[in-house]
Amino acid sequence: MSGIKPIEEIDPYREARDGKIREVGSQAVWSLSSCKPGFGVEQLRDDCLDTYWQSDGPQPHLVNIQFRKKTTIQNVCIYADYKSDESYTPNRISVRTGSHFNDLQEVEVLDFNEPSGWVVIPLKDTHEKPIRTFLVQIAVLSNHQNGRDTHMRQIKIHSPVQDSDLACIKGLCFTSPECARYRCIR
């Protein structure tokens, strides 16, 4: 292999294991624009890549993620599998954020080309810092092969871990995830 680097598989859990980010989706209220019975939020959040949300209605298909307090969001990770889902696979999505449904602003628009695996979407404000928001909306604008309904297998929402002043006390830095959990006073 002359000069060609192997493609690295995206692992959305690596930075969480390293203590740099944390998954905050469990702190939110999730809702969908539509779903087939048995293919809803539970399947979208069950950590199983074999299950999925399936929409049931006209596009755009929406995933709404509402937080009780303003939350810093570093990225959104979506697992899509074109080989399994074909025309159900999203082709174009929009990620929007805001305080409520009436002030949503589009942050990213992405075109997917037969995705197979995790897609990481960084969310940054105008100062290139992670976005602080109450609401994240993921809108599926179109599917591959002009498909009508959508399959999404998993969505993860990551927030950066804030270093506290007590993280390093006189040269003692807590770097393992086990110790880092206890480095701040609550």
Side-chain angles (χ1 to χ4, degrees):
M1 290 178 48
S2 59
I4 299 175
K5 294 182 181 177
I7 296 173
E8 184 178 331
E9 180 97 10
I10 293 175
D11 179 4
Y13 303 103
R14 181 180 348 168
E15 287 186 287
R17 285 190 302 267
D18 293 344
K20 295 177 184 173
I21 60 172
R22 61 190 170 102
E23 210 284 330
V24 293
S26 61
Q27 298 173 12
V29 175
W30 291 65
S31 62
L32 304 168
S33 57
S34 67
C35 68
K36 297 243 184 215
F39 296 91
V41 172
E42 290 174 14
Q43 288 71 32
L44 190 58
R45 297 284 301 155
D46 66 4
D47 290 324
C48 178
L49 299 178
D50 296 326
T51 60
Y52 50 86
W53 159 54
Q54 181 173 335
S55 63
D56 186 22
Q59 289 176 341
H61 304 300
L62 305 175
V63 178
N64 301 303
I65 307 151
Q66 292 180 279
F67 293 93
R68 290 175 181 85
K69 61 181 184 175
K70 201 169 202 178
T71 304
T72 303
I73 306 297
Q74 182 167 317
N75 64 47
V76 173
C77 299
I78 298 173
Y79 190 90
D81 188 357
Y82 180 79
K83 291 176 185 144
S84 297
D85 299 328
E86 295 180 346
S87 67
Y88 290 93
T89 308
N91 182 43
R92 184 178 189 98
I93 67 163
S94 167
V95 180
R96 306 159 182 168
T97 62
S99 297
H100 48 78
F101 288 102
N102 296 322
D103 75 347
L104 289 172
Q105 297 290 313
E106 194 166 67
V107 179
E108 289 286 337
V109 175
L110 294 127
D111 292 312
F112 296 155
N113 185 20
E114 299 182 6
S116 181
W118 288 101
V119 177
V120 178
I121 306 163
L123 299 184
K124 302 204 184 256
D125 64 14
T126 56
H127 304 291
E128 293 297 310
K129 296 194 178 206
I131 285 182
R132 290 193 41 80
T133 189
F134 284 100
L135 173 64
V136 176
Q137 183 179 77
I138 300 167
V140 177
L141 305 176
S142 66
N143 290 331
H144 283 78
Q145 303 170 8
N146 295 317
R148 185 178 141 224
D149 286 329
T150 291
H151 285 183
M152 272 197 208
R153 294 186 172 264
Q154 291 291 299
I155 297 177
K156 301 293 177 194
I157 307 293
H158 292 130
S159 182
V161 172
Q162 303 296 333
D163 287 332
S164 69
D165 292 337
L166 298 175
C168 290
I169 302 173
K170 295 184 183 177
L172 296 174
C173 293
F174 301 108
T175 56
S176 72
E178 293 80 15
C179 289
R181 282 188 210 136
Y182 304 103
R183 71 178 171 202
C184 66
I185 299 172
R186 295 181 190 221

